[in-house]
Amino acid sequence: MSDLDLEKLAEIELQRDEEEAATLDIPRRPLAAPTSGEDLALSMRHPFYDVARHGILQVAGEDHFGRRVITFSCCRLPPSHELNHKQLLEYLKYTLDQYVENDYTLIYFHYGLNSWNKPSLGWLQSAYKEFDRKYKKNLKALYVVHPTNFIKVLWSIFKPLISHKFGKKITYFNYLSDLREHLKYDQLIIPPEVVRYDEKLRDLHRGKAPPPAKTPPPRPPLPTQQFGVSLQYLKDKNKGELIPPVLRLTVTYLREKGLRTEGLFRRSASMLTVREIQRLYNQGKPVNFDDYGDIHLPAVILKTFLRELPQPLLTFEAYEQVLGITSVESSLRVTHCRQILSSLPEQNYAVLNYLMGFLHEVSQESIFNKMSSSSLACVFGLNLTWPSQGASSVSALVPLNLFTELLIEYYETVFSTQEASGGHAPGGHTPGGHVPASAEAK
């Protein structure tokens, strides 16, 4: 994989982490500055005040061997555009320089890392190289708290760089309580956001399961059912209309009021509110998104609709074909996309055409919303198709997102009615057509 593919993979995993956190009904909170009691020595004269004031790094307590403990809290990282990451690296070294002559322990609180505040993979790689032997030699333990799939991806990326000896120092803890066995827990400075997240996880461990990923519709489904039923069912119940009402309503609202919203489709929403809106739609009742005051809510509803389809929009049959996109010569990939779409049922093709047309519009406003076709593909790739058994593998993420990016970026070519060699796509659409030269870069 190229560095760009790995960066996209990391972005995808962080998006999934955020959505999983949303199922625990943990709202995104504004960045909380540390309280005065957390760092009494900090003043504006601190050489790295601009970074230190966020409370990302804290020195607090000792472990059971008397070693100094240093914590790094991701939830304290501000948005990337508000933080000088080069200065962050210098601040890390400045802080560690005060302790690396003696044995020390690091605790990394992963909760709170998201697509908005994560440093680039290039920065992480350069940072690891910057920490030479004097920093690594006396680091006796690195505790990673609340690890996610993103950490697994990161480990696979960094594994060639990390020595076996250093790798043995890393320990993963699923809960804060696991730290008590290794250090003086009461001396730690743990951000309240991390504590709340840990409480939610422990509630799950006690048997309070989160809402299912797919809410099964009642049997038989309501005549007005929108979620969890097939596109054919929706077509039959809506007098032959190919575009499901919930999709048309959310797209219309977002087109009118959300096209320039920064991070559209990347933000999460309260799952309790999402379930309430699903219930209203399923009962055929009107939904006024203005009442909720959250432009990201209809975006989450749209994604939820796609995820809860009994069969993915691109169908199970097309899954393996989609994964093959990376083996197709770059200049032929758009044509290959058209050929795959030509086998879709009529309603699937119509819905996909409608959705991709809208996402193309969103990407055209990326100067405002920061959502390019690549960014949108990271969000929607896993929502358009998945295998009939099990979940998509990590290796499937790159082709899924590449395929989706092509559909969005070259929407007018992929879904054009221009005739070319090959079979006819649904509704008179034909695969083929001229492929823009710029597609070769994909």
Side-chain angles (χ1 to χ4, degrees), residues 219-293:
R219 294 289 183 259
L222 298 170
T224 52
Q225 190 79 25
Q226 293 288 299
F227 294 86
V229 292
S230 68
L231 293 177
Q232 184 64 49
Y233 183 89
L234 291 167
K235 176 186 173 184
D236 293 342
K237 295 298 180 182
N238 289 281
K239 301 178 181 179
E241 171 60 45
L242 292 174
I243 309 303
V246 68
L247 180 61
R248 189 177 295 280
L249 289 167
T250 51
V251 165
T252 299
Y253 187 88
L254 291 169
R255 180 179 282 128
E256 292 175 354
K257 301 186 178 184
L259 281 181
R260 294 191 171 187
T261 299
E262 187 170 334
L264 189 65
F265 291 112
R266 264 192 177 155
R267 302 290 181 87
S268 56
S270 165
M271 289 309 294
L272 292 178
T273 306
V274 170
R275 297 305 182 201
E276 171 64 14
I277 291 177
Q278 284 186 274
R279 184 184 64 79
L280 292 174
Y281 272 129
N282 286 337
Q283 293 176 353
K285 296 179 179 179
V287 172
N288 184 356
F289 287 110
D290 287 338
D291 294 340
Y292 297 90

Side-chain angles (χ1 to χ4, degrees), residues 7-147:
E7 193 77 48
K8 286 183 178 180
L9 185 58
E11 183 83 11
I12 293 163
E13 290 301 336
L14 280 177
Q15 172 70 20
R16 293 173 71 180
D17 288 349
E18 290 182 60
E19 292 183 356
E20 287 178 11
T23 65
L24 299 178
D25 197 34
I26 300 174
R28 293 174 63 93
R29 294 178 172 83
L31 183 71
T35 63
S36 58
E38 290 183 16
D39 195 344
L40 297 174
L42 183 62
S43 73
M44 294 188 70
R45 293 188 297 275
H46 191 287
F48 293 95
Y49 176 79
D50 283 347
V51 178
R53 66 190 176 91
H54 295 293
I56 301 164
L57 208 63
Q58 298 286 342
V59 180
E62 298 176 342
D63 63 15
H64 289 327
F65 297 96
R67 302 180 294 218
R68 179 63 74 181
V69 174
I70 301 170
T71 64
F72 186 101
S73 301
C74 288
C75 66
R76 290 282 171 79
L77 285 168
S80 293
H81 69 275
E82 296 180 9
L83 183 67
N84 183 326
H85 286 98
K86 182 178 180 181
Q87 194 175 33
L88 172 62
L89 178 56
E90 293 303 314
Y91 171 56
L92 293 175
K93 293 170 67 177
Y94 167 83
T95 303
L96 292 178
D97 279 343
Q98 302 172 57
Y99 303 100
V100 295
E101 295 303 320
N102 299 303
D103 294 348
Y104 69 102
T105 294
L106 278 177
I107 302 176
Y108 170 80
F109 294 116
H110 179 63
Y111 174 72
L113 190 72
N114 55 58
S115 53
W116 292 99
N117 65 8
K118 77 172 182 67
S120 69
L121 290 182
W123 183 88
L124 291 173
Q125 289 169 333
S126 63
Y128 181 78
K129 293 174 183 176
E130 282 278 332
F131 290 111
D132 55 26
R133 186 173 182 273
K134 79 169 184 176
Y135 296 99
K136 298 170 186 174
K137 180 183 67 170
N138 288 333
L139 172 63
K140 297 307 176 183
L142 170 56
Y143 300 136
V144 178
V145 182
H146 301 139

Side-chain angles (χ1 to χ4, degrees), residues 6 28 38 64 119 151 165 185 206 217 221 257 260 270 292 412 418 434:
L6 293 173
R28 293 174 63 93
E38 290 183 16
H64 289 327
I151 295 294
K165 185 176 181 180
Y185 182 85
R206 296 187 189 108
K257 301 186 178 184
R260 294 191 171 187
S270 165
Y292 297 90
E412 294 177 354
Q418 180 180 350
H434 175 67

